[in-house]
Each structure stands twice: as C-alpha cells, then as structure tokens.
Amino acid sequence: MKELKAFYTLVKRELRMFFKNDVLIAVFFGAPIFFGLLVGYTYQQASVKDLSIAVIDHDNSPLSHKIIDALDENFYLSVNQVSSKEEDIKDDLPSFEAIVRIPDGFEGDINYKRHPHIQVEVNGANMITGNYANIGIRTVLGTLNAGIEILGLHKTGIPLETAKQQWEAFSIDDTRYFNATSNYLTFIWPGIIGAVMQQVFLLAMALTFSKEHEENTFGEISAITKNPLTVFFSKAIPYWLIGIALWIGLQLTLFPLFKLPMPSNYGVLLILTSVFILSLTCLGILVSWLLPSQLKATEVLMVISTPSFILSGFTWPLEAMPEWIQHISSVIPLTHFLHALRKVLHFNADMQSVLPDIQNMLIITLFSAIVMLILLFKKLKKKVEIN
C-alpha cells in the first residue's frame, strides 16, 4: 500500500513536469498530428499521373503522330513537348521524366520490315517517377507494336483472328495483390508515422532522468520511495499510456480522413503498437539516465532515430544491406515494428505472424528495463547510505 501511494505521488509529479514543458507538449502531440496530415495530403493523389515527357519526332509521319497521341492518352504520361530537333528540349531536359526518340524513316522501316528502334531515355534522378514513366511508355509502345504486327499479317491475307493468334502465342493477365491499386499513400503513410512516433517518443524520454540530474531533483524521488521498481514504473507508465492513446487517436481520425484501409485484426495492431511504444519508453529512459545532460541525451537519441527509417527495411530490403548494417537495424525498435505493421495493414496478419517481431521488441524492452533497474537500485542504495 505504501509503494502504491508512492507510485501515485511520483506519477502525479511526472505528469506535472511533463505538462509544464510547453515545447515538449507541442512536439509530443503536435508532431505526429502535423506530419500525419502533411504526409497524407502530400500523397493524397495516391498514384502518380500526367508525368511530363518529351518526344523527339524525326519521322513526322502519321504513325509517329499516332504514337505521340497514344503516349499522351496514357494515365501516367503527359506529352508536354514535341520537336524534331534535339536543341529544342536541351534546356528543359531536367523537367522531363523521359524522352522518346522516334527515328527518321520510322514508318517506312515498319512497312518494309526493317525493325527500327525507338529510343526511350528515362530520367533517373527520381526513381519513382522515372519508373512510372517507363511503365507507361513501355505499355503504350508494346500495345502499338502488337497492333502493327497484327495489322501487317492481316494485310498479307491472313484473317484478323488468325493474325492475332499468330502474334500472341499466349496471353498475359497482369494484376496485383496487397495494395492492388499501387496506392503510394497506403504504402508510405504508416511507415512515416511510425518513424515520427519513434522520434517524438525518444525526444520526450530523453528529458525524463536527464532533467532530474541537471536540476539535482533526484533527491525528491528518493525521499518518496527507495524502491527502484516504483520509480521506474512511475516514469514509464504515464508516457506509455499517453503514447498508446495518441496512436489510437491518429488511427481513428487520420486513417478514415485519407481513406487508408483499416486492418481487420485491430487487436493485433493495438498489441503491436503497445509493445513498440513500451520498447521506445524503456530505451529512452535508459539513455536519459546514462547521459545526465538533456542536450546530450536528446542529441544521442536523435542520432539513433534519424537514420532508423532508412535502416528499418521499410523502403529498401534489409537483405540488400551489408550484414553489419542489418545487425545495427535489429536493435532499433522501429525495424521490427514496421516489419510487423506492413503484415497487419496489408496482409491482415494474425498474432502468430507478427509474434517474432513482438518478441524482438520485448527483448529490447527487457534489456533496457533490466539495465535501468540495476542503475536505479545502485543510485537509491547510495542515497540511503549517504543519509
């Protein structure tokens, strides 16, 4: 009963310190909401379209005009400049996602079966837009190529249906599963919010014990209780519960706002998120204790969290990274959270599927908590001996 009263007193003290820090409150609550809205509205279109391309038409024939019209009608593409001269697009080259070059005598070469080449040059500065532009161009040219070949066979006297069968040995039905519409917002939004939550949480936790050290107020804690478990839980539980409530609020408001698919196994997502925030809480508290300066603790935790999104394997597969980088990423909670989050949001995974990731986050949690409790025990014992 005594420890419960001490726990209650310390929790009230911690919450009072938290809500007195206006900057921390603004960052803690404002950053996830701001970035959630910013990313959502940025990628609200969900897929890229009307990508600017240029066509250098050296042939200037009815067939080349047909190709240009077909390119402009493609969902991904917008033909913003057509010219017969290279010099006309030279100055605007960076503004185009791709350049299509139709050679001189193209239609004549087609008619005489000389197999001319259309050159496609893709702007690789932005891989996403470049890839979409390439997909659109390849789709258009592939369709026209098949149509020209079928028409040529038909002109030789082969019935149209027979010509289609001779050209097309088999059919390809292209479809997608899991994010079938290639919605970029569905892909990127959860990952960005997870990274923001980690950054904000570690920032908040950096100030828990480092602030006590800087202001020399740890004596106030030891005067209330000498139990390291009570001290630890009074520091961790308030932030953990606030973090869970913040995440639930983001899901219930921003997911419907941007029409993001809600997982069918919402309970699994809630457990996953709770463990993730718990691992961040314990890791942040440990660093805050080890570095008695608020500035140093913040700097170290920002160094940990800033590259974590890149190292998480969310946008670039871990298997393609050097093994030593994979080892570094394995000790960052965000890596395991985003790996499991993708399963839950896209694959409707059950608890069994995400259990390995939850176990990895619990290992980080337990290690941080055990080390922290040992350090707290030594500090409180020292205070008792001094008194």
Side-chain angles (χ1 to χ4, degrees):
M1 192 67 182
K2 180 182 176 182
E3 288 304 321
L4 188 61
K5 185 178 179 181
F7 171 77
Y8 179 68
T9 303
L10 288 174
V11 166
K12 284 200 303 181
R13 178 180 179 275
E14 191 66 31
L15 290 174
R16 190 166 55 250
M17 290 172 59
F18 174 76
F19 285 106
K20 276 185 179 180
N21 192 329
D22 295 336
V23 175
L24 182 57
I25 291 174
V27 172
F28 193 87
F29 293 106
I33 296 170
F34 172 74
F35 281 105
L37 292 169
L38 180 66
V39 173
Y41 283 117
T42 300
Y43 298 108
Q44 193 172 26
Q45 185 173 285
S47 60
V48 292
K49 64 178 182 178
D50 297 329
L51 296 171
S52 176
I53 69 169
V55 178
I56 300 176
D57 184 8
H58 293 297
D59 192 41
N60 195 25
S61 64
L63 181 57
S64 67
H65 296 164
K66 183 178 180 180
I67 291 173
I68 293 169
D69 290 340
L71 289 170
D72 195 47
E73 291 172 2
N74 184 269
F75 174 81
Y76 296 124
L77 309 173
S78 176
V79 179
N80 286 340
Q81 189 167 346
V82 179
S83 176
S84 61
K85 298 178 182 179
E86 299 275 347
E87 294 78 15
D88 291 343
I89 67 164
K90 187 176 181 181
D91 293 336
D92 297 325
L93 198 61
S95 65
F96 300 118
E97 301 301 335
I99 309 294
V100 179
R101 287 182 169 83
I102 303 174
D104 186 23
F106 177 75
E107 185 171 24
D109 289 341
I110 289 287
N111 293 332
Y112 287 101
K113 303 291 183 182
R114 292 176 184 151
H115 298 288
H117 291 258
I118 289 182
Q119 185 178 359
V120 178
E121 297 180 7
V122 178
N123 184 346
N126 187 323
M127 292 179 64
I128 293 174
T129 54
N131 286 341
Y132 273 107
N134 191 39
I135 290 170
I137 293 169
R138 295 286 178 180
T139 300
V140 170
L141 296 182
T143 302
L144 290 174
N145 194 17
I148 291 170
E149 183 66 22
I150 291 169
L151 187 60
L153 291 172
H154 182 54
K155 287 180 178 179
T156 63
I158 299 174
L160 188 60
E161 290 302 318
T162 305
K164 288 180 181 179
Q165 292 174 5
Q166 287 187 9
W167 164 255
E168 191 178 68
F170 57 89
S171 298
I172 302 174
D173 296 322
D174 186 12
T175 186
R176 291 174 184 266
Y177 55 94
F178 305 131
N179 193 13
T181 59
S182 297
N183 187 315
Y184 193 72
L185 180 60
T186 301
F187 161 69
I188 199 66
W189 192 90
I192 294 291
I193 294 304
V196 170
M197 285 289 289
Q198 174 173 275
Q199 191 126 355
V200 168
F201 232 82
L202 290 180
L203 175 62
M205 302 319 298
L207 308 180
T208 51
F209 275 114
S210 57
K211 183 178 176 65
E212 305 279 6
H213 291 312
E214 275 191 353
E215 297 179 2
N216 198 26
T217 56
F218 189 78
E220 296 177 10
I221 297 176
S222 61
I224 297 172
T225 180
K226 302 294 189 296
N227 190 322
L229 280 171
T230 304
V231 176
F232 177 77
F233 286 133
S234 67
K235 286 283 187 182
I237 289 178
Y239 293 101
W240 180 58
L241 293 176
I242 293 172
I244 293 173
L246 179 59
W247 176 261
I248 292 174
L250 289 174
Q251 283 186 318
L252 295 180
T253 54
L254 299 188
F255 268 58
L257 176 63
F258 298 116
K259 298 180 175 60
L260 295 168
M262 291 291 287
S264 58
N265 296 327
Y266 193 81
V268 176
L269 179 58
L270 184 59
I271 293 172
L272 175 65
T273 306
S274 301
V275 175
F276 172 57
I277 294 175
L278 183 62
S279 65
L280 295 178
T281 304
C282 294
L283 179 61
I285 287 177
L286 176 60
V287 174
S288 177
W289 178 272
L290 294 174
L291 299 172
S293 164
Q294 293 183 68
L295 178 60
K296 288 181 180 179
T298 302
E299 288 172 345
V300 168
L301 287 171
M302 289 305 98
V303 167
I304 293 173
S305 62
T306 299
S308 60
F309 184 70
I310 299 173
L311 301 181
S312 68
F314 189 80
T315 57
W316 186 256
L318 283 171
E319 295 77 11
M321 301 180 190
E323 191 172 342
W324 63 274
I325 291 183
Q326 294 183 40
H327 291 315
I328 294 174
S329 68
S330 66
V331 299
I332 301 174
L334 185 66
T335 301
H336 309 291
F337 174 67
L338 293 184
H339 185 253
L341 184 64
R342 177 175 286 165
K343 294 179 184 178
V344 174
L345 294 181
H346 293 296
F347 311 157
N348 285 323
D350 56 15
M351 191 65 188
Q352 191 65 32
S353 300
V354 300
L355 194 57
D357 298 296
I358 288 178
Q359 288 173 340
N360 288 330
M361 287 189 288
L362 285 175
I363 290 172
I364 296 172
T365 301
L366 288 173
F367 175 81
S368 303
I370 290 170
V371 174
M372 184 65 226
L373 286 170
I374 292 172
L375 296 174
L376 264 177
F377 176 77
K378 289 182 177 180
K379 180 75 173 181
L380 291 167
K381 185 179 179 182
K382 188 176 179 180
K383 282 282 184 183
V384 171
E385 291 174 354
I386 291 174
N387 293 335

